[in-house]
Amino acid sequence: MPAKNESFVQTLRAQWLGQQMRELREQRGFTLKRAAEFLERDLSSVARWERAEWPFRRGVVVSLLDLYGEHDPATRAHFIQLAEDAWRTDRWDDDYDEIVDASFIDFPWLETRAEQICSFDAMLMPGLMQTPEYAEAVIRNAEGKRATPFSVAKWMQLRLDRQRVLEPEFGVTVSAVLDESVLRRPVGGPALMRGQLTHLGELLRRPNVDVRVLPATIGLHPGLDGSFWLFKMPKPYPEVAYAETLGGRLFMESPKSRRYAEAYARLQQIALDPSGSAKLIATIAEER
């Protein structure tokens, strides 16, 4: 049970850990009662851990892995790391808790754990590909009257921190389909947009970055409901789709994520290929 002075956010990874611990227990033929007796806890405590209502502590996970006879080093390391991530809520919460709410915590965690990050961007440049100047303009617009030098600086630092996943050595493939209007939307003036488009063109040269432009000549298409993200995770994690609305943030696992995966695949097919996209980006940059 969490201590009285501790708080716990039920994150995606906490839910995944609970689900995987329950599946392992059932596969090995152990009941909740047996697990509770082994830990010298009441049965409801183990049930709440598995439902992610309470955080699994590292020591509890290690003890249960011993009970369930799971001795494979790689598997044990996976469970233990997930337990640490689930409780710690990752460094993003520690560094940026003044500006982000709990529902945001899973997003940068997914970015750092995904094998591939896919996004369809209908209005603005992907956050991972924004220049500092572009990011500041977007952040100030989003913050509105709430903007302070502190909040803007914090949001910008968070945006730039997240961009480390673009480095090839990080091992993440970043793929984006951009509506042509994103390239033409005037954000911060011609000079700022020229710099942003030039930066985007430079990113295209990276082996782990794929950007395709959906030309304005395309009429109806699968992205008309708005921007979305798709995180393709390593096993045993499920694929996760993410969408943002004025009403809040939505994280969706399979089978709901399949609609987004199918929409993204279709958008890639009808968008310009990487070469044609690079040419269009360069042409629009020259027009600024």
Side-chain angles (χ1 to χ4, degrees), residues 19-63:
Q19 177 183 343
Q20 291 173 38
M21 290 298 291
R22 183 182 69 250
E23 290 175 353
L24 181 62
R25 173 179 60 76
E26 293 173 347
Q27 288 170 5
R28 301 299 166 86
F30 288 89
T31 63
L32 275 173
K33 181 180 179 181
R34 177 70 185 93
E37 290 173 346
F38 179 79
L39 295 172
E40 297 182 345
R41 300 292 184 96
D42 59 86
L43 187 147
S44 64
S45 294
V46 181
R48 288 185 174 184
W49 282 326
E50 292 185 350
R51 293 195 300 265
E53 294 176 7
W54 289 351
F56 261 113
R57 289 292 190 180
R58 183 183 190 279
V60 172
V61 169
V62 170
S63 295

mmCIF file of all heavy atoms in Angstrom, residues 19-63:
data_model
loop_
_atom_site.group_PDB
_atom_site.id
_atom_site.type_symbol
_atom_site.label_atom_id
_atom_site.label_comp_id
_atom_site.label_asym_id
_atom_site.label_seq_id
_atom_site.Cartn_x
_atom_site.Cartn_y
_atom_site.Cartn_z
ATOM 1 N N GLN A 19 -1.371 -6.122 -15.534
ATOM 2 C CA GLN A 19 -1.915 -7.133 -16.443
ATOM 3 C C GLN A 19 -0.919 -8.276 -16.656
ATOM 4 O O GLN A 19 -1.291 -9.458 -16.627
ATOM 5 C CB GLN A 19 -2.249 -6.482 -17.782
ATOM 6 C CG GLN A 19 -2.762 -7.451 -18.831
ATOM 7 C CD GLN A 19 -3.002 -6.758 -20.168
ATOM 8 O OE1 GLN A 19 -3.094 -5.534 -20.242
ATOM 9 N NE2 GLN A 19 -3.075 -7.524 -21.230
ATOM 10 N N GLN A 20 0.348 -7.933 -16.860
ATOM 11 C CA GLN A 20 1.352 -8.959 -17.115
ATOM 12 C C GLN A 20 1.634 -9.806 -15.874
ATOM 13 O O GLN A 20 1.852 -11.020 -15.972
ATOM 14 C CB GLN A 20 2.641 -8.315 -17.626
ATOM 15 C CG GLN A 20 2.490 -7.732 -19.021
ATOM 16 C CD GLN A 20 3.708 -6.940 -19.449
ATOM 17 O OE1 GLN A 20 4.838 -7.301 -19.162
ATOM 18 N NE2 GLN A 20 3.477 -5.830 -20.141
ATOM 19 N N MET A 21 1.603 -9.186 -14.706
ATOM 20 C CA MET A 21 1.801 -9.946 -13.476
ATOM 21 C C MET A 21 0.628 -10.897 -13.248
ATOM 22 O O MET A 21 0.810 -12.029 -12.786
ATOM 23 C CB MET A 21 1.969 -9.004 -12.286
ATOM 24 C CG MET A 21 3.268 -8.214 -12.272
ATOM 25 S SD MET A 21 4.746 -9.276 -12.162
ATOM 26 C CE MET A 21 4.586 -9.897 -10.487
ATOM 27 N N ARG A 22 -0.578 -10.441 -13.561
ATOM 28 C CA ARG A 22 -1.745 -11.316 -13.418
ATOM 29 C C ARG A 22 -1.665 -12.491 -14.396
ATOM 30 O O ARG A 22 -1.913 -13.642 -14.024
ATOM 31 C CB ARG A 22 -3.036 -10.528 -13.674
ATOM 32 C CG ARG A 22 -4.305 -11.380 -13.464
ATOM 33 C CD ARG A 22 -5.560 -10.615 -13.774
ATOM 34 N NE ARG A 22 -5.706 -10.332 -15.193
ATOM 35 C CZ ARG A 22 -5.593 -9.128 -15.743
ATOM 36 N NH1 ARG A 22 -5.345 -8.075 -14.985
ATOM 37 N NH2 ARG A 22 -5.733 -8.966 -17.045
ATOM 38 N N GLU A 23 -1.292 -12.190 -15.649
ATOM 39 C CA GLU A 23 -1.185 -13.251 -16.648
ATOM 40 C C GLU A 23 -0.115 -14.268 -16.260
ATOM 41 O O GLU A 23 -0.323 -15.480 -16.415
ATOM 42 C CB GLU A 23 -0.862 -12.645 -18.019
ATOM 43 C CG GLU A 23 -2.020 -11.855 -18.617
ATOM 44 C CD GLU A 23 -1.648 -11.160 -19.908
ATOM 45 O OE1 GLU A 23 -0.447 -11.178 -20.265
ATOM 46 O OE2 GLU A 23 -2.552 -10.591 -20.573
ATOM 47 N N LEU A 24 1.007 -13.790 -15.739
ATOM 48 C CA LEU A 24 2.067 -14.706 -15.316
ATOM 49 C C LEU A 24 1.584 -15.581 -14.161
ATOM 50 O O LEU A 24 1.838 -16.799 -14.145
ATOM 51 C CB LEU A 24 3.310 -13.914 -14.902
ATOM 52 C CG LEU A 24 4.517 -14.742 -14.454
ATOM 53 C CD1 LEU A 24 5.024 -15.635 -15.591
ATOM 54 C CD2 LEU A 24 5.645 -13.822 -13.957
ATOM 55 N N ARG A 25 0.886 -14.966 -13.206
ATOM 56 C CA ARG A 25 0.373 -15.741 -12.068
ATOM 57 C C ARG A 25 -0.570 -16.842 -12.542
ATOM 58 O O ARG A 25 -0.470 -18.001 -12.100
ATOM 59 C CB ARG A 25 -0.352 -14.802 -11.091
ATOM 60 C CG ARG A 25 -1.064 -15.535 -9.955
ATOM 61 C CD ARG A 25 -1.746 -14.581 -8.997
ATOM 62 N NE ARG A 25 -2.755 -13.739 -9.624
ATOM 63 C CZ ARG A 25 -3.965 -14.153 -9.978
ATOM 64 N NH1 ARG A 25 -4.319 -15.434 -9.789
ATOM 65 N NH2 ARG A 25 -4.832 -13.323 -10.534
ATOM 66 N N GLU A 26 -1.470 -16.483 -13.451
ATOM 67 C CA GLU A 26 -2.443 -17.458 -13.932
ATOM 68 C C GLU A 26 -1.782 -18.545 -14.771
ATOM 69 O O GLU A 26 -2.150 -19.726 -14.680
ATOM 70 C CB GLU A 26 -3.532 -16.737 -14.741
ATOM 71 C CG GLU A 26 -4.404 -15.824 -13.877
ATOM 72 C CD GLU A 26 -5.368 -14.988 -14.697
ATOM 73 O OE1 GLU A 26 -5.197 -14.928 -15.944
ATOM 74 O OE2 GLU A 26 -6.289 -14.391 -14.108
ATOM 75 N N GLN A 27 -0.798 -18.163 -15.583
ATOM 76 C CA GLN A 27 -0.079 -19.149 -16.394
ATOM 77 C C GLN A 27 0.633 -20.178 -15.525
ATOM 78 O O GLN A 27 0.705 -21.363 -15.872
ATOM 79 C CB GLN A 27 0.936 -18.443 -17.295
ATOM 80 C CG GLN A 27 0.327 -17.662 -18.441
ATOM 81 C CD GLN A 27 1.363 -16.798 -19.156
ATOM 82 O OE1 GLN A 27 2.560 -16.861 -18.841
ATOM 83 N NE2 GLN A 27 0.907 -15.984 -20.097
ATOM 84 N N ARG A 28 1.153 -19.725 -14.394
ATOM 85 C CA ARG A 28 1.904 -20.621 -13.511
ATOM 86 C C ARG A 28 1.006 -21.335 -12.513
ATOM 87 O O ARG A 28 1.498 -22.080 -11.648
ATOM 88 C CB ARG A 28 3.002 -19.832 -12.788
ATOM 89 C CG ARG A 28 3.992 -19.170 -13.741
ATOM 90 C CD ARG A 28 4.732 -20.177 -14.611
ATOM 91 N NE ARG A 28 5.421 -19.552 -15.722
ATOM 92 C CZ ARG A 28 6.647 -19.027 -15.671
ATOM 93 N NH1 ARG A 28 7.321 -19.038 -14.531
ATOM 94 N NH2 ARG A 28 7.191 -18.493 -16.737
ATOM 95 N N GLY A 29 -0.293 -21.097 -12.583
ATOM 96 C CA GLY A 29 -1.239 -21.845 -11.764
ATOM 97 C C GLY A 29 -1.359 -21.386 -10.320
ATOM 98 O O GLY A 29 -1.738 -22.187 -9.451
ATOM 99 N N PHE A 30 -1.093 -20.120 -10.051
ATOM 100 C CA PHE A 30 -1.196 -19.610 -8.687
ATOM 101 C C PHE A 30 -2.466 -18.783 -8.529
ATOM 102 O O PHE A 30 -2.844 -18.017 -9.427
ATOM 103 C CB PHE A 30 0.020 -18.744 -8.339
ATOM 104 C CG PHE A 30 1.285 -19.521 -8.137
ATOM 105 C CD1 PHE A 30 2.128 -19.782 -9.213
ATOM 106 C CD2 PHE A 30 1.635 -20.002 -6.885
ATOM 107 C CE1 PHE A 30 3.294 -20.502 -9.038
ATOM 108 C CE2 PHE A 30 2.803 -20.725 -6.696
ATOM 109 C CZ PHE A 30 3.626 -20.988 -7.782
ATOM 110 N N THR A 31 -3.116 -18.902 -7.396
ATOM 111 C CA THR A 31 -4.303 -18.108 -7.100
ATOM 112 C C THR A 31 -3.897 -16.809 -6.408
ATOM 113 O O THR A 31 -2.777 -16.675 -5.895
ATOM 114 C CB THR A 31 -5.256 -18.877 -6.170
ATOM 115 O OG1 THR A 31 -4.577 -19.116 -4.912
ATOM 116 C CG2 THR A 31 -5.666 -20.207 -6.792
ATOM 117 N N LEU A 32 -4.812 -15.869 -6.394
ATOM 118 C CA LEU A 32 -4.574 -14.637 -5.655
ATOM 119 C C LEU A 32 -4.308 -14.937 -4.181
ATOM 120 O O LEU A 32 -3.448 -14.321 -3.542
ATOM 121 C CB LEU A 32 -5.775 -13.695 -5.784
ATOM 122 C CG LEU A 32 -5.863 -12.786 -7.001
ATOM 123 C CD1 LEU A 32 -7.200 -12.064 -7.023
ATOM 124 C CD2 LEU A 32 -4.724 -11.765 -6.984
ATOM 125 N N LYS A 33 -5.057 -15.897 -3.650
ATOM 126 C CA LYS A 33 -4.900 -16.250 -2.243
ATOM 127 C C LYS A 33 -3.499 -16.764 -1.953
ATOM 128 O O LYS A 33 -2.882 -16.378 -0.950
ATOM 129 C CB LYS A 33 -5.927 -17.317 -1.867
ATOM 130 C CG LYS A 33 -5.863 -17.729 -0.400
ATOM 131 C CD LYS A 33 -6.913 -18.787 -0.083
ATOM 132 C CE LYS A 33 -6.822 -19.208 1.383
ATOM 133 N NZ LYS A 33 -7.827 -20.265 1.711
ATOM 134 N N ARG A 34 -2.964 -17.601 -2.855
ATOM 135 C CA ARG A 34 -1.611 -18.145 -2.647
ATOM 136 C C ARG A 34 -0.575 -17.033 -2.717
ATOM 137 O O ARG A 34 0.369 -16.998 -1.907
ATOM 138 C CB ARG A 34 -1.313 -19.205 -3.706
ATOM 139 C CG ARG A 34 0.100 -19.782 -3.605
ATOM 140 C CD ARG A 34 0.267 -20.639 -2.372
ATOM 141 N NE ARG A 34 1.634 -21.102 -2.209
ATOM 142 C CZ ARG A 34 2.581 -20.493 -1.504
ATOM 143 N NH1 ARG A 34 2.278 -19.370 -0.843
ATOM 144 N NH2 ARG A 34 3.796 -20.991 -1.403
ATOM 145 N N ALA A 35 -0.738 -16.118 -3.663
ATOM 146 C CA ALA A 35 0.203 -15.009 -3.783
ATOM 147 C C ALA A 35 0.151 -14.128 -2.541
ATOM 148 O O ALA A 35 1.191 -13.690 -2.032
ATOM 149 C CB ALA A 35 -0.107 -14.193 -5.037
ATOM 150 N N ALA A 36 -1.055 -13.877 -2.051
ATOM 151 C CA ALA A 36 -1.213 -13.039 -0.863
ATOM 152 C C ALA A 36 -0.587 -13.698 0.364
ATOM 153 O O ALA A 36 0.070 -13.035 1.175
ATOM 154 C CB ALA A 36 -2.693 -12.767 -0.623
ATOM 155 N N GLU A 37 -0.777 -15.013 0.507
ATOM 156 C CA GLU A 37 -0.189 -15.733 1.638
ATOM 157 C C GLU A 37 1.336 -15.680 1.582
ATOM 158 O O GLU A 37 2.000 -15.506 2.603
ATOM 159 C CB GLU A 37 -0.663 -17.187 1.628
ATOM 160 C CG GLU A 37 -2.136 -17.351 1.984
ATOM 161 C CD GLU A 37 -2.606 -18.782 1.803
ATOM 162 O OE1 GLU A 37 -1.874 -19.581 1.160
ATOM 163 O OE2 GLU A 37 -3.713 -19.119 2.296
ATOM 164 N N PHE A 38 1.890 -15.833 0.377
ATOM 165 C CA PHE A 38 3.346 -15.804 0.214
ATOM 166 C C PHE A 38 3.916 -14.432 0.605
ATOM 167 O O PHE A 38 4.969 -14.349 1.247
ATOM 168 C CB PHE A 38 3.702 -16.119 -1.236
ATOM 169 C CG PHE A 38 5.179 -16.090 -1.524
ATOM 170 C CD1 PHE A 38 5.988 -17.166 -1.183
ATOM 171 C CD2 PHE A 38 5.756 -14.998 -2.151
ATOM 172 C CE1 PHE A 38 7.355 -17.148 -1.438
ATOM 173 C CE2 PHE A 38 7.121 -14.969 -2.420
ATOM 174 C CZ PHE A 38 7.918 -16.047 -2.063
ATOM 175 N N LEU A 39 3.201 -13.376 0.251
ATOM 176 C CA LEU A 39 3.660 -12.014 0.547
ATOM 177 C C LEU A 39 3.284 -11.562 1.960
ATOM 178 O O LEU A 39 3.704 -10.493 2.398
ATOM 179 C CB LEU A 39 3.058 -11.028 -0.458
ATOM 180 C CG LEU A 39 3.486 -11.179 -1.922
ATOM 181 C CD1 LEU A 39 2.660 -10.258 -2.805
ATOM 182 C CD2 LEU A 39 4.971 -10.885 -2.091
ATOM 183 N N GLU A 40 2.443 -12.400 2.636
ATOM 184 C CA GLU A 40 1.920 -12.054 3.949
ATOM 185 C C GLU A 40 1.111 -10.758 3.875
ATOM 186 O O GLU A 40 1.235 -9.856 4.712
ATOM 187 C CB GLU A 40 3.038 -11.944 4.983
ATOM 188 C CG GLU A 40 3.780 -13.267 5.193
ATOM 189 C CD GLU A 40 4.855 -13.176 6.262
ATOM 190 O OE1 GLU A 40 5.227 -12.045 6.643
ATOM 191 O OE2 GLU A 40 5.311 -14.236 6.717
ATOM 192 N N ARG A 41 0.295 -10.669 2.838
ATOM 193 C CA ARG A 41 -0.615 -9.543 2.648
ATOM 194 C C ARG A 41 -2.031 -10.096 2.477
ATOM 195 O O ARG A 41 -2.216 -11.283 2.247
ATOM 196 C CB ARG A 41 -0.244 -8.744 1.393
ATOM 197 C CG ARG A 41 1.161 -8.160 1.405
ATOM 198 C CD ARG A 41 1.302 -7.064 2.432
ATOM 199 N NE ARG A 41 2.616 -6.456 2.373
ATOM 200 C CZ ARG A 41 2.904 -5.344 1.701
ATOM 201 N NH1 ARG A 41 1.945 -4.720 1.026
ATOM 202 N NH2 ARG A 41 4.119 -4.845 1.712
ATOM 203 N N ASP A 42 -3.017 -9.211 2.561
ATOM 204 C CA ASP A 42 -4.371 -9.694 2.331
ATOM 205 C C ASP A 42 -4.619 -9.796 0.827
ATOM 206 O O ASP A 42 -3.962 -9.150 0.013
ATOM 207 C CB ASP A 42 -5.400 -8.768 2.987
ATOM 208 C CG ASP A 42 -5.319 -7.344 2.477
ATOM 209 O OD1 ASP A 42 -5.943 -7.033 1.461
ATOM 210 O OD2 ASP A 42 -4.598 -6.543 3.120
ATOM 211 N N LEU A 43 -5.611 -10.612 0.486
ATOM 212 C CA LEU A 43 -5.898 -10.903 -0.912
ATOM 213 C C LEU A 43 -6.238 -9.648 -1.704
ATOM 214 O O LEU A 43 -5.857 -9.499 -2.864
ATOM 215 C CB LEU A 43 -7.045 -11.911 -0.998
ATOM 216 C CG LEU A 43 -7.405 -12.484 -2.368
ATOM 217 C CD1 LEU A 43 -7.885 -13.922 -2.226
ATOM 218 C CD2 LEU A 43 -8.505 -11.648 -3.014
ATOM 219 N N SER A 44 -6.957 -8.707 -1.101
ATOM 220 C CA SER A 44 -7.363 -7.491 -1.805
ATOM 221 C C SER A 44 -6.167 -6.644 -2.224
ATOM 222 O O SER A 44 -6.223 -5.936 -3.234
ATOM 223 C CB SER A 44 -8.308 -6.661 -0.942
ATOM 224 O OG SER A 44 -7.645 -6.202 0.234
ATOM 225 N N SER A 45 -5.065 -6.719 -1.459
ATOM 226 C CA SER A 45 -3.874 -5.950 -1.818
ATOM 227 C C SER A 45 -3.305 -6.423 -3.145
ATOM 228 O O SER A 45 -2.974 -5.616 -4.026
ATOM 229 C CB SER A 45 -2.805 -6.074 -0.730
ATOM 230 O OG SER A 45 -3.241 -5.472 0.475
ATOM 231 N N VAL A 46 -3.187 -7.745 -3.305
ATOM 232 C CA VAL A 46 -2.648 -8.288 -4.560
ATOM 233 C C VAL A 46 -3.586 -7.970 -5.715
ATOM 234 O O VAL A 46 -3.136 -7.620 -6.820
ATOM 235 C CB VAL A 46 -2.439 -9.813 -4.446
ATOM 236 C CG1 VAL A 46 -1.865 -10.365 -5.747
ATOM 237 C CG2 VAL A 46 -1.512 -10.128 -3.278
ATOM 238 N N ALA A 47 -4.886 -8.060 -5.475
ATOM 239 C CA ALA A 47 -5.854 -7.746 -6.525
ATOM 240 C C ALA A 47 -5.726 -6.286 -6.957
ATOM 241 O O ALA A 47 -5.799 -5.966 -8.147
ATOM 242 C CB ALA A 47 -7.272 -8.019 -6.029
ATOM 243 N N ARG A 48 -5.512 -5.390 -6.013
ATOM 244 C CA ARG A 48 -5.382 -3.975 -6.348
ATOM 245 C C ARG A 48 -4.077 -3.705 -7.095
ATOM 246 O O ARG A 48 -4.037 -2.852 -7.980
ATOM 247 C CB ARG A 48 -5.460 -3.123 -5.079
ATOM 248 C CG ARG A 48 -6.859 -3.064 -4.490
ATOM 249 C CD ARG A 48 -6.936 -2.127 -3.313
ATOM 250 N NE ARG A 48 -8.311 -1.976 -2.855
ATOM 251 C CZ ARG A 48 -8.687 -1.150 -1.883
ATOM 252 N NH1 ARG A 48 -7.781 -0.407 -1.257
ATOM 253 N NH2 ARG A 48 -9.955 -1.065 -1.538
ATOM 254 N N TRP A 49 -3.022 -4.418 -6.747
ATOM 255 C CA TRP A 49 -1.773 -4.283 -7.503
ATOM 256 C C TRP A 49 -1.984 -4.696 -8.957
ATOM 257 O O TRP A 49 -1.538 -4.021 -9.875
ATOM 258 C CB TRP A 49 -0.672 -5.138 -6.871
ATOM 259 C CG TRP A 49 -0.063 -4.539 -5.648
ATOM 260 C CD1 TRP A 49 0.153 -3.221 -5.389
ATOM 261 C CD2 TRP A 49 0.410 -5.250 -4.504
ATOM 262 N NE1 TRP A 49 0.733 -3.051 -4.160
ATOM 263 C CE2 TRP A 49 0.910 -4.293 -3.593
ATOM 264 C CE3 TRP A 49 0.463 -6.597 -4.156
ATOM 265 C CZ2 TRP A 49 1.459 -4.628 -2.369
ATOM 266 C CZ3 TRP A 49 1.017 -6.941 -2.933
ATOM 267 C CH2 TRP A 49 1.509 -5.972 -2.052
ATOM 268 N N GLU A 50 -2.664 -5.806 -9.141
ATOM 269 C CA GLU A 50 -2.872 -6.296 -10.501
ATOM 270 C C GLU A 50 -3.802 -5.393 -11.308
ATOM 271 O O GLU A 50 -3.702 -5.336 -12.530
ATOM 272 C CB GLU A 50 -3.421 -7.722 -10.481
ATOM 273 C CG GLU A 50 -2.415 -8.744 -9.966
ATOM 274 C CD GLU A 50 -2.914 -10.178 -10.057
ATOM 275 O OE1 GLU A 50 -4.122 -10.375 -10.341
ATOM 276 O OE2 GLU A 50 -2.099 -11.099 -9.842
ATOM 277 N N ARG A 51 -4.677 -4.677 -10.630
ATOM 278 C CA ARG A 51 -5.563 -3.727 -11.321
ATOM 279 C C ARG A 51 -4.940 -2.346 -11.427
ATOM 280 O O ARG A 51 -5.559 -1.414 -11.947
ATOM 281 C CB ARG A 51 -6.910 -3.618 -10.581
ATOM 282 C CG ARG A 51 -7.758 -4.874 -10.629
ATOM 283 C CD ARG A 51 -9.200 -4.571 -10.214
ATOM 284 N NE ARG A 51 -9.285 -4.033 -8.861
ATOM 285 C CZ ARG A 51 -9.515 -4.751 -7.771
ATOM 286 N NH1 ARG A 51 -9.687 -6.072 -7.879
ATOM 287 N NH2 ARG A 51 -9.597 -4.200 -6.585
ATOM 288 N N ALA A 52 -3.712 -2.201 -10.939
ATOM 289 C CA ALA A 52 -2.969 -0.929 -10.969
ATOM 290 C C ALA A 52 -3.622 0.153 -10.118
ATOM 291 O O ALA A 52 -3.388 1.339 -10.313
ATOM 292 C CB ALA A 52 -2.785 -0.428 -12.401
ATOM 293 N N GLU A 53 -4.428 -0.253 -9.141
ATOM 294 C CA GLU A 53 -5.005 0.717 -8.209
ATOM 295 C C GLU A 53 -3.953 1.130 -7.178
ATOM 296 O O GLU A 53 -4.006 2.244 -6.643
ATOM 297 C CB GLU A 53 -6.219 0.120 -7.506
ATOM 298 C CG GLU A 53 -7.383 -0.148 -8.447
ATOM 299 C CD GLU A 53 -8.546 -0.833 -7.762
ATOM 300 O OE1 GLU A 53 -8.485 -0.983 -6.515
ATOM 301 O OE2 GLU A 53 -9.501 -1.228 -8.451
ATOM 302 N N TRP A 54 -3.041 0.228 -6.884
ATOM 303 C CA TRP A 54 -1.882 0.506 -6.055
ATOM 304 C C TRP A 54 -0.634 0.208 -6.864
ATOM 305 O O TRP A 54 -0.665 -0.642 -7.757
ATOM 306 C CB TRP A 54 -1.881 -0.370 -4.799
ATOM 307 C CG TRP A 54 -2.920 -0.014 -3.781
ATOM 308 C CD1 TRP A 54 -3.730 1.092 -3.778
ATOM 309 C CD2 TRP A 54 -3.259 -0.763 -2.617
ATOM 310 N NE1 TRP A 54 -4.553 1.080 -2.694
ATOM 311 C CE2 TRP A 54 -4.292 -0.046 -1.952
ATOM 312 C CE3 TRP A 54 -2.792 -1.951 -2.064
ATOM 313 C CZ2 TRP A 54 -4.855 -0.484 -0.769
ATOM 314 C CZ3 TRP A 54 -3.360 -2.394 -0.881
ATOM 315 C CH2 TRP A 54 -4.372 -1.671 -0.242
ATOM 316 N N PRO A 55 0.470 0.864 -6.570
ATOM 317 C CA PRO A 55 1.698 0.621 -7.330
ATOM 318 C C PRO A 55 2.423 -0.646 -6.880
ATOM 319 O O PRO A 55 2.590 -0.886 -5.682
ATOM 320 C CB PRO A 55 2.542 1.862 -7.031
ATOM 321 C CG PRO A 55 2.098 2.266 -5.656
ATOM 322 C CD PRO A 55 0.622 1.961 -5.584
ATOM 323 N N PHE A 56 2.818 -1.450 -7.817
ATOM 324 C CA PHE A 56 3.686 -2.584 -7.520
ATOM 325 C C PHE A 56 5.051 -2.050 -7.130
ATOM 326 O O PHE A 56 5.674 -1.299 -7.888
ATOM 327 C CB PHE A 56 3.857 -3.462 -8.770
ATOM 328 C CG PHE A 56 2.982 -4.678 -8.804
ATOM 329 C CD1 PHE A 56 1.969 -4.776 -9.746
ATOM 330 C CD2 PHE A 56 3.191 -5.736 -7.931
ATOM 331 C CE1 PHE A 56 1.168 -5.909 -9.819
ATOM 332 C CE2 PHE A 56 2.393 -6.873 -7.986
ATOM 333 C CZ PHE A 56 1.377 -6.958 -8.929
ATOM 334 N N ARG A 57 5.537 -2.417 -5.980
ATOM 335 C CA ARG A 57 6.890 -2.057 -5.583
ATOM 336 C C ARG A 57 7.885 -3.056 -6.181
ATOM 337 O O ARG A 57 7.544 -4.215 -6.446
ATOM 338 C CB ARG A 57 7.027 -2.055 -4.054
ATOM 339 C CG ARG A 57 6.303 -0.909 -3.380
ATOM 340 C CD ARG A 57 6.953 0.418 -3.701
ATOM 341 N NE ARG A 57 6.418 1.493 -2.875
ATOM 342 C CZ ARG A 57 6.820 2.752 -2.947
ATOM 343 N NH1 ARG A 57 7.753 3.078 -3.829
ATOM 344 N NH2 ARG A 57 6.299 3.669 -2.174
ATOM 345 N N ARG A 58 9.093 -2.608 -6.371
ATOM 346 C CA ARG A 58 10.127 -3.462 -6.957
ATOM 347 C C ARG A 58 10.294 -4.747 -6.152
ATOM 348 O O ARG A 58 10.370 -5.847 -6.713
ATOM 349 C CB ARG A 58 11.459 -2.703 -7.019
ATOM 350 C CG ARG A 58 12.602 -3.471 -7.683
ATOM 351 C CD ARG A 58 13.882 -2.662 -7.610
ATOM 352 N NE ARG A 58 14.928 -3.243 -8.411
ATOM 353 C CZ ARG A 58 15.703 -4.256 -8.040
ATOM 354 N NH1 ARG A 58 15.510 -4.816 -6.846
ATOM 355 N NH2 ARG A 58 16.650 -4.716 -8.836
ATOM 356 N N GLY A 59 10.348 -4.627 -4.825
ATOM 357 C CA GLY A 59 10.550 -5.799 -3.985
ATOM 358 C C GLY A 59 9.406 -6.790 -4.082
ATOM 359 O O GLY A 59 9.627 -8.010 -4.037
ATOM 360 N N VAL A 60 8.188 -6.287 -4.228
ATOM 361 C CA VAL A 60 7.030 -7.170 -4.368
ATOM 362 C C VAL A 60 7.099 -7.924 -5.678
ATOM 363 O O VAL A 60 6.839 -9.131 -5.743
ATOM 364 C CB VAL A 60 5.716 -6.355 -4.284
ATOM 365 C CG1 VAL A 60 4.516 -7.237 -4.617
ATOM 366 C CG2 VAL A 60 5.549 -5.751 -2.898
ATOM 367 N N VAL A 61 7.479 -7.224 -6.752
ATOM 368 C CA VAL A 61 7.600 -7.871 -8.053
ATOM 369 C C VAL A 61 8.663 -8.967 -8.006
ATOM 370 O O VAL A 61 8.451 -10.079 -8.503
ATOM 371 C CB VAL A 61 7.939 -6.837 -9.141
ATOM 372 C CG1 VAL A 61 8.333 -7.529 -10.447
ATOM 373 C CG2 VAL A 61 6.755 -5.913 -9.380
ATOM 374 N N VAL A 62 9.807 -8.673 -7.401
ATOM 375 C CA VAL A 62 10.881 -9.665 -7.300
ATOM 376 C C VAL A 62 10.398 -10.895 -6.528
ATOM 377 O O VAL A 62 10.647 -12.038 -6.940
ATOM 378 C CB VAL A 62 12.125 -9.047 -6.626
ATOM 379 C CG1 VAL A 62 13.155 -10.136 -6.307
ATOM 380 C CG2 VAL A 62 12.746 -7.992 -7.529
ATOM 381 N N SER A 63 9.703 -10.675 -5.426
ATOM 382 C CA SER A 63 9.205 -11.795 -4.618
ATOM 383 C C SER A 63 8.217 -12.647 -5.408
ATOM 384 O O SER A 63 8.267 -13.884 -5.358
ATOM 385 C CB SER A 63 8.539 -11.268 -3.349
ATOM 386 O OG SER A 63 9.477 -10.615 -2.509
#
